[in-house]
Amino acid sequence: MRGGSVAVVGGSIAGSAFAGAAARLGAEQVVVLERSPGRLEDRGVGICIQNERFDELVRAGLIGDDVRRHRLTTRRWVTASPGERDPRGRELWHQPMPFHSHHWAVLWQALRERTPDTVEFRPGTTVTTVGGDQDGAWVSDTGGEGGGGGGSSAGGAGGAGERFDLVIGADGYRSAVRAAVCPEARPEYAGYVCWRGSYDAALLEDGLPDGGRGWPSDECTTVCYPGGQVVIYRIPGLHPGTTQVNWVFYAPTPEWLEPAGPTSIPAGSLTDQQLDELDRLADQLPPYWAAVVGLTPRERTLLQPLYDLAAPRLAAGRLLLGGDAATVVRPHNTSGAVKALQDAYAFEQAGREAARTGGSWSTLLSAYDRERTAAGRELVELGRKLGRAQVTTATDWPAMTEQSMSAWWQQQLIGGGGFGGQPLARSPKPPQA
Ligand SMILES: Cc1cc2nc3c(=O)[nH]c(=O)nc-3n(C[C@H](O)[C@H](O)[C@H](O)COP(=O)(O)OP(=O)(O)OC[C@H]3O[C@@H](n4cnc5c(N)ncnc54)[C@H](O)[C@@H]3O)c2cc1C
């Protein structure tokens, strides 16, 4: 098992973690093929990670405990109610929130720094096709910094690209590697979108009548409105000592969005007319939260349609899937980044076990597939359930009380699945025959 060559397609959260794991397993060559030409720092969005899940990842060596993050303790649910005087709306309920929030780029940078120097990153490389046989796998790409180029080595058995002993698909929800592992698995549109935005928290000072002081720093606020909800929390800024405001606004599909398989619209690409729709949505929020969303510079707002996907298998031949390429979970679970890191951990553990028992690549791949396919399916199911309860068939928020909110929340968690992700050590049940 030691030695060999590994290509990782995608250099984001899953890709960085898998590359590190492959290098630690002793692969002689580890190459990361990433479509984006630059570094990935500009993906300025927030990620929350539950404290216990984070601590497990630290103990497992996937991440350092010195990553800059922002402490959250409470999640407050509020809504606009007729006659309500408080501009922050009526509180429906609050619950403990033992999470920290992260800036995506700070988290990614920390993962990247832990990747051994022997790993070769090839930015600006888009993988177009992938294939494999029992002896290895190949990738064709558009070429990028440092090599590739759609066929730098001779392909075997139908492969016209560069050959590796193993190709890992960490290339997100529209994965090219997944098309080779299980072409029948397609992400399914959840039927609603999220608008997202972030900005320097210093803007609150002049932008809100109370300078933002009525919103405690460790509080995540979920603002419920008839079309869904907005989740608002602070995250670390890109530079030490700074903080940003981050929000995710779940909303019905805008009429102008392509109806079948809509794609994301990145920050800076939404038109003024499209952004006017967000203003109309925000008008339904209590005025304080409408103002918090309204402070977002227009060029810092993006739109993401939401998808569900649980690939029925995560390995075939010498191809393996991890992160969102394997499983796309609605963000209500706050588990996607954790799951991506846990996938890399499971891969590393399966590799160590295979090496200890004299196993082969196929032993590793089967063990990984068995464990992670089931884990992904549970998370996707929970995401669907939370999405239905909180957005598509959301309750009549103003009619809710503290007691009914608590019961409503518990109801969503029946059946498990892992809100905030599953414990690292837990082995999910194998799928039913
Ligand atoms: C609104 C929202 C909020 C979220 N909040 C949370 C949260 O609070 N907590 C949490 O844990 N998770 C959260 N998630 C989920 C989390 O962001 C993802 O699960 C996680 O970032 C997935 O990482 P990934 O590396 O698998 O995929 P991605 O980040 O999608 O990375 C895929 C990479 O592959 C590259 N790529 C794609 N195709 C190719 C190709 N053909 N060739 C080469 N490179 C390619 C892309 O450029 C990209 O860099 C949220 C998701 C959303 C949408």
Side-chain angles (χ1 to χ4, degrees):
M1 280 293 310
R2 285 191 78 78
S5 56
V6 177
V8 181
V9 184
S12 177
I13 292 196
S16 301
F18 269 97
R24 285 191 295 275
L25 281 175
E28 257 162 40
Q29 185 196 16
V30 182
V31 179
V32 178
L33 308 166
E34 167 54 48
R35 181 174 58 193
S36 297
R39 294 174 73 79
L40 301 174
E41 281 96 343
D42 56 351
R43 296 187 186 177
V45 281
I47 293 276
C48 288
I49 299 185
Q50 195 183 9
N51 295 340
E52 281 180 37
R53 302 291 80 81
F54 186 85
D55 293 345
E56 288 165 356
L57 293 167
V58 169
R59 285 196 294 275
L62 271 105
I63 195 151
D65 63 0
D66 54 351
V67 182
R68 257 185 326 106
R69 53 206 176 118
H70 183 91
R71 180 167 171 263
L72 299 172
T73 63
T74 308
R75 183 178 189 181
R76 196 173 301 280
W77 299 69
V78 302
T79 196
S81 269
E84 176 61 47
R85 293 232 184 118
D86 188 333
R88 290 171 302 173
R90 175 166 78 83
E91 178 176 326
L92 294 170
W93 183 50
H94 64 267
Q95 65 185 143
M97 182 151 181
F99 284 66
H100 277 76
S101 64
H102 296 255
H103 190 296
W104 185 94
V106 176
L107 183 64
W108 173 78
Q109 187 66 42
L111 288 167
R112 182 82 167 72
E113 279 163 11
R114 289 181 85 80
T115 312
D117 291 342
T118 50
V119 173
E120 180 194 346
F121 278 82
R122 290 186 198 160
T125 307
T126 299
V127 168
T128 48
T129 40
V130 180
D133 47 46
Q134 287 313 309
D135 300 325
W138 53 266
V139 295
S140 291
D141 62 63
T142 55
E145 293 170 24
S152 56
S153 310
E162 192 174 356
R163 285 193 71 89
F164 296 90
D165 291 305
L166 176 69
V167 172
I168 296 172
D171 48 345
Y173 83 111
R174 290 190 193 269
S175 167
V177 182
R178 192 177 61 237
V181 173
C182 43
E184 74 280 17
R186 300 259 164 81
E188 196 182 318
Y189 181 45
Y192 57 100
V193 301
C194 64
W195 300 75
R196 300 177 83 173
S198 61
Y199 58 88
D200 191 336
L203 288 179
L204 297 174
E205 191 63 45
D206 294 329
L208 291 179
D210 69 350
R213 283 173 286 279
W215 172 29
S217 155
D218 59 352
E219 184 178 299
C220 165
T221 309
T222 299
V223 191
C224 304
Y225 76 102
Q229 59 179 220
V230 193
V231 184
I232 311 176
Y233 51 91
R234 291 178 178 88
I235 60 173
L238 272 178
H239 305 291
T242 61
T243 308
Q244 293 187 7
V245 172
N246 179 81
W247 50 263
V248 183
F249 202 135
Y250 297 96
T253 313
E255 269 176 22
W256 38 261
L257 200 66
E258 53 193 302
T263 47
S264 303
I265 305 182
S269 299
L270 285 158
T271 64
D272 278 342
Q273 221 177 353
Q274 289 169 334
L275 285 161
D276 288 346
E277 175 148 348
L278 178 63
D279 293 343
R280 285 192 292 276
L281 288 166
D283 280 347
Q284 299 176 72
L285 309 180
Y288 190 91
W289 302 111
V292 169
V293 172
L295 283 171
T296 314
R298 290 203 142 197
E299 69 282 4
R300 298 278 306 258
T301 306
L302 61 123
L303 184 134
Q304 279 180 294
L306 298 177
Y307 283 89
D308 299 312
L309 171 89
R313 62 188 163 280
L314 304 188
R318 295 287 188 85
L319 304 174
L320 178 147
L321 301 173
D324 278 13
T327 314
V328 183
V329 180
R330 297 188 202 178
H332 312 288
N333 289 28
T334 55
S335 62
V338 172
K339 192 215 68 106
L341 296 173
Q342 292 179 341
D343 285 348
Y345 176 77
F347 164 72
E348 192 172 342
Q349 292 307 103
R352 289 196 192 290
E353 184 59 15
R356 195 182 64 76
T357 55
S360 60
W361 286 109
S362 82
T363 325
L364 185 172
L365 285 147
S366 313
Y368 174 85
D369 186 21
R370 240 184 349 263
E371 178 178 337
R372 300 310 291 166
T373 305
R377 199 173 15 242
E378 287 187 4
L379 289 168
V380 172
E381 272 320 303
L382 178 61
R384 283 200 173 106
K385 215 189 307 177
L386 297 178
R388 276 195 295 270
Q390 297 179 29
V391 182
T392 49
T393 57
T395 183
D396 175 15
W397 301 112
M400 296 295 273
T401 62
E402 197 175 327
Q403 216 177 15
S404 60
M405 281 296 290
S406 169
W408 167 84
W409 177 257
Q410 289 308 326
Q411 182 71 27
Q412 293 170 54
L413 302 185
I414 291 173
F419 177 71
Q422 296 159 334
L424 187 62
R426 217 200 82 182
S427 267
K429 293 184 216 89
Q432 301 288 316

